[in-house]
Amino acid sequence: RMYPLTLGSNIGTTTTGILAALATDTSDGYMHLQNSLQVAMCHLFFNLSGILLFYPLTFMRFPIAMAKFLGNTTAKYRWFAVLYLILMFFLFPLAVFAISLAGIEVLAGVGIPILCLLVFVAIIKVLQNKKPHWLPKKLQNWKFLPICFRSLKPLDRLFAKMCGCCKICSKNEEANADIEKQIDTKL
């Protein structure tokens, strides 16, 4: 139920950009107004095209599943939300920017293998859920990987030790052990 409201609020944010563009000083001519309105309209149509892409077609509503996954992970590991924000909105863009300063060749040389790995993992994950019998026995689950590559439990233990005085972390660690066993049985 929240998905349409979120998409609508994205359109609502563009109106402030349009209002700000209309308030542009025109004493030097209308070129500033034209440029600011052009940027505001680009913002509006970018958001509208996103809605037209993700909302009408039900199979394209994967952001809902992604949001549920992130919400469940955050409910299980309270520190995950802060780590996610730091990584995705600070460190990842900073790393991409730093690599791009070295040139497009370096960015492609680093980015393409990482992108290929992510696509490979996504394909394997979809096949694990939909058609596990198509995969070799070893790839039907992630248990062949070390636990640090398939679970946040090691990081959770680390954060629990770092804030050992926190009773919430200790209680979550015990509760998460049960959940972790259930997840491992599904994998």
Side-chain angles (χ1 to χ4, degrees):
R1 285 184 276 156
M2 200 60 206
Y3 193 52
L5 294 174
T6 304
L7 295 177
S9 68
N10 280 338
I11 299 299
T13 60
T14 63
T15 59
T16 57
I18 293 170
L19 289 174
L22 291 172
T24 302
D25 183 24
T26 57
S27 61
D28 295 338
Y30 288 98
M31 192 63 179
H32 294 295
L33 177 64
Q34 181 182 359
N35 290 340
S36 61
L37 275 175
Q38 183 177 9
V39 170
M41 290 299 155
C42 286
H43 185 206
L44 172 68
F45 286 112
F46 179 80
N47 284 356
L48 283 174
S49 63
I51 287 176
L52 291 175
L53 176 68
F54 289 114
Y55 190 67
L57 307 171
T58 54
F59 69 90
M60 289 296 290
R61 294 185 185 174
F62 59 85
I64 295 173
M66 293 168 56
K68 284 181 182 178
F69 174 76
L70 288 175
N72 290 336
T73 305
T74 301
K76 185 176 175 185
Y77 305 110
R78 298 291 181 188
W79 49 266
F80 180 77
V82 175
L83 184 68
Y84 179 81
L85 289 173
I86 291 170
L87 285 175
M88 289 299 167
F89 293 100
F90 181 69
L91 294 179
F92 178 68
L94 184 67
V96 171
F97 176 69
I99 293 170
S100 71
L101 289 178
I104 191 70
E105 297 85 10
V106 176
L107 182 62
V110 173
I112 290 174
I114 291 172
L115 190 62
C116 290
L117 178 67
L118 291 175
V119 168
F120 175 75
V121 169
I123 290 170
I124 295 298
K125 187 67 180 163
V126 168
L127 287 174
Q128 284 176 343
N129 290 335
K130 305 279 184 187
K131 304 276 186 185
H133 59 279
W134 286 8
L135 294 169
K137 193 76 168 162
K138 192 168 192 165
L139 286 178
Q140 289 181 0
N141 60 42
W142 298 112
K143 288 191 177 187
F144 68 93
L145 292 173
I147 190 128
C148 61
F149 289 133
R150 60 185 164 98
S151 174
L152 292 174
K153 189 67 177 165
L155 275 176
D156 191 45
R157 277 187 249 125
L158 176 70
F159 286 129
K161 286 179 184 175
M162 286 172 48
C163 62
C165 60
C166 182
K167 294 179 183 177
I168 296 171
C169 294
S170 303
K171 289 180 185 176
N172 281 348
E173 190 172 341
E174 294 167 6
N176 289 343
D178 297 331
I179 296 170
E180 191 71 32
K181 287 178 187 174
Q182 293 172 355
I183 291 173
D184 283 342
T185 58
K186 289 181 182 178
L187 292 176

